[in-house]
Amino acid sequence: MIQRAFKISIKAVNKNITASENAMGVLLTSRTEKINKNAFRVAKIACKLVNSRIAGIFGPQDKLTANYVQSMCDTLDIPYIAARWDSKSKHSNGINLYPHPNMLSTVFHDLIKEYKWQKYAILYDNTDGLIRISRLLKLPGGCTISAMAFHLGSGPNFRQTIKEVKISDYRNIIIDCSHDILSSVLKQAQQVGILSEKYRVIVTSLDLQTLDLEPYQYSGVNLTGVRLINPQSPIVQRILQSRSLNWNLTNGSHLKVEPALAYDAVQLFASGYARLRDSVEGNLKKLFCNGTEVWGHGSSLSNYMRNEQINGLSGMIKFDTAGFRTEFQLDIVHLGYQGLRKIGTWETNVGIQWDPRHRIPEVNDEKSLRDKHFLVMISLVCSSIIFVS
């Protein structure tokens, strides 16, 4: 779907369906390559690409091969554009549209503070999850007394780890795992019994809304998540419903973050390239990985892109002075009987703003009689009087 979104965005730019007026009239030609995690093969393909007069490289998504491609782009002064979570974001010609990892950790830190969680368990699946947990626990100003991390393991059976969480008697749980296994983790969590009214759960995946959550709507669990893509956004609806682009998506809630960012990345590139074209003279160069010549305009193009502000599928896209996407807005969503419902927003430099109609769950809600259902049994018996002399 990422490659499809990339091609759709190229098509949109060439049809003047753009996120910025600056990109009107820009014509882009794309070339896509199928790659695996073989570093040698990726290097060979990347060198072939730069030899064909390019102005930028998008991807790959795999972090190991991506690091090689970014290093090559830096050496040859070619912009590298990414759309993935990266724990080692660094200042270079590279641009990453994925929200900065430190700011994402701040989002969940703020939620924990709002919910007044002092004890909670964290379920994670890989090294990236462990890094996110570490950043979360290091943030200042928290009220955490006890937090324990549980590694889900390689799967596909995660029940043993989930049972350990249940036995440990943590009622507050954070689930941090890849979208690929999230559906299985939630299903097994329900089977084990930690998706019930006794538990409060935060899911960190920005793609939570793309899952079928109907099996958990009536479980009573207090489940909170976040989303970067607002399916009710006029921009999202307009772009997805455009007949000329052929998204084949019936609902914006089915759009995952990385394809959306791939679309936005092309739009950002087109806008930046238009500014470069209007300000400097020069053509694209045929470059060689083992040569000494560089393009010479890559840094300028990267700076133009960083200085752009466009409204895309992932909301307002803007970068800080270091070139990172630290300013963004997320919707906070809650799972109820009617499905996922927006209950607030989180925004950089603002924090959490709750919907006035939403009641923040209290720490001792499980001890409260609020919203509880009781079964009252009445037994009808014959009355009698015993006389004692």
Side-chain angles (χ1 to χ4, degrees):
M1 186 60 188
I2 296 174
Q3 183 174 323
R4 176 174 169 77
F6 174 79
K7 290 183 176 180
I8 288 175
S9 194
I10 295 284
K11 182 179 179 181
V13 170
N14 292 341
K15 286 178 173 288
N16 288 327
I17 305 174
T18 62
S20 170
E21 292 184 359
N22 298 328
M24 300 289 284
V26 172
L27 290 176
L28 300 177
T29 301
S30 68
R31 178 175 172 179
T32 59
E33 296 281 352
K34 289 185 177 182
I35 62 172
N36 52 30
K37 295 183 180 182
N38 185 310
F40 178 78
R41 173 167 167 74
V42 171
K44 189 175 181 179
I45 291 174
C47 289
K48 188 177 179 180
L49 286 173
V50 300
N51 191 238
S52 60
R53 294 187 174 89
I54 61 171
I57 290 183
F58 295 74
Q61 295 300 101
D62 176 69
K63 64 181 179 181
L64 295 179
T65 52
N67 288 337
Y68 171 82
V69 174
Q70 181 171 356
S71 177
M72 183 202 69
C73 287
D74 288 344
T75 301
L76 298 176
D77 191 29
I78 296 173
Y80 169 79
I81 301 100
R84 62 183 182 86
W85 188 88
D86 185 4
S87 63
K88 298 180 180 179
S89 298
K90 58 182 179 180
H91 184 69
S92 65
N93 276 1
I95 293 177
N96 195 341
L97 275 74
Y98 207 94
H100 195 272
N102 287 346
M103 297 310 298
L104 281 177
S105 294
T106 302
V107 175
F108 301 110
H109 180 263
D110 289 350
L111 274 173
I112 289 171
K113 284 176 63 179
E114 286 286 309
Y115 289 165
K116 298 181 175 62
W117 286 8
Q118 295 183 328
K119 297 175 61 179
Y120 55 90
I122 305 172
L123 284 166
Y124 73 97
D125 67 331
N126 55 32
T127 304
D128 288 342
L130 195 58
I131 293 172
R132 286 190 287 267
I133 292 167
S134 176
R135 284 181 168 157
L136 177 64
L137 297 177
K138 288 178 181 177
L139 287 172
C143 55
T144 301
I145 294 176
S146 172
M148 184 174 291
F150 295 82
H151 184 221
L152 283 164
S154 57
N157 189 341
F158 309 107
R159 294 179 185 84
Q160 185 56 45
T161 302
I162 298 172
K163 286 178 182 177
E164 291 174 12
V165 173
K166 185 176 182 180
I167 294 172
S168 66
D169 205 31
Y170 283 98
R171 299 298 178 88
N172 304 316
I173 301 169
I174 297 175
I175 298 178
D176 185 308
C177 66
S178 68
H179 180 269
D180 295 338
I181 67 168
L182 180 55
S183 180
S184 294
V185 170
L186 291 176
K187 181 179 180 180
Q188 294 178 34
Q190 185 182 46
Q191 292 170 348
V192 171
I194 66 170
L195 290 189
S196 67
E197 61 184 9
K198 294 181 180 180
Y199 295 90
R200 292 170 292 272
V201 177
I202 294 175
V203 178
T204 64
S205 172
L206 298 181
D207 287 321
L208 173 66
Q209 66 173 349
T210 65
L211 296 180
D212 176 17
L213 299 174
E214 193 273 338
Y216 319 111
Q217 290 177 199
Y218 307 97
S219 65
V221 65
N222 193 322
L223 191 149
T224 303
V226 292
R227 67 186 183 196
L228 183 63
I229 313 300
N230 179 4
Q232 281 77 47
S233 162
I235 294 176
V236 172
Q237 293 183 350
R238 175 172 56 83
I239 293 175
L240 294 188
Q241 292 172 7
S242 174
R243 292 184 178 180
S244 62
L245 297 182
N246 299 321
W247 278 91
N248 293 327
L249 286 177
T250 57
N251 192 312
S253 63
H254 298 153
L255 178 64
K256 294 181 181 179
V257 168
E258 289 185 350
L261 294 180
Y263 181 94
D264 289 346
V266 174
Q267 298 291 317
L268 182 70
F269 175 85
S271 184
Y273 185 78
R275 288 184 178 274
L276 177 73
R277 182 190 58 185
D278 295 340
S279 62
V280 301
E281 293 184 2
N283 296 318
L284 300 174
K285 288 184 178 180
K286 190 175 183 179
L287 301 174
F288 299 90
C289 287
N290 58 354
T292 58
E293 190 175 17
V294 299
W295 182 29
H297 299 301
S299 296
S300 297
L301 177 51
S302 293
N303 287 331
Y304 279 123
M305 284 190 281
R306 288 192 180 99
N307 290 325
E308 285 293 307
Q309 292 188 24
I310 65 172
N311 276 305
L313 294 176
S314 60
M316 172 59 73
I317 299 170
K318 57 189 298 188
F319 299 90
D320 61 19
T321 55
F324 301 130
R325 191 177 181 183
T326 55
E327 294 189 41
F328 55 90
Q329 178 176 305
L330 298 178
D331 288 342
I332 303 172
V333 293
H334 179 266
L335 183 63
Y337 295 151
Q338 304 302 318
L340 277 182
R341 178 175 65 88
K342 179 179 175 180
I343 58 173
T345 59
W346 183 95
E347 190 173 355
T348 309
N349 301 322
V350 176
I352 294 176
Q353 292 183 305
W354 297 109
D355 185 311
R357 297 167 296 177
H358 176 67
R359 185 184 70 85
I360 301 175
E362 300 293 336
V363 175
N364 294 319
D365 264 6
E366 70 272 13
K367 298 178 181 178
S368 170
L369 299 183
R370 184 197 298 265
D371 297 328
K372 292 293 189 296
H373 298 273
F374 296 91
L375 180 63
V376 179
M377 300 184 67
I378 300 175
S379 176
L380 298 178
V381 298
C382 296
S383 59
S384 60
I385 298 175
I386 301 176
F387 177 76
V388 179
S389 59

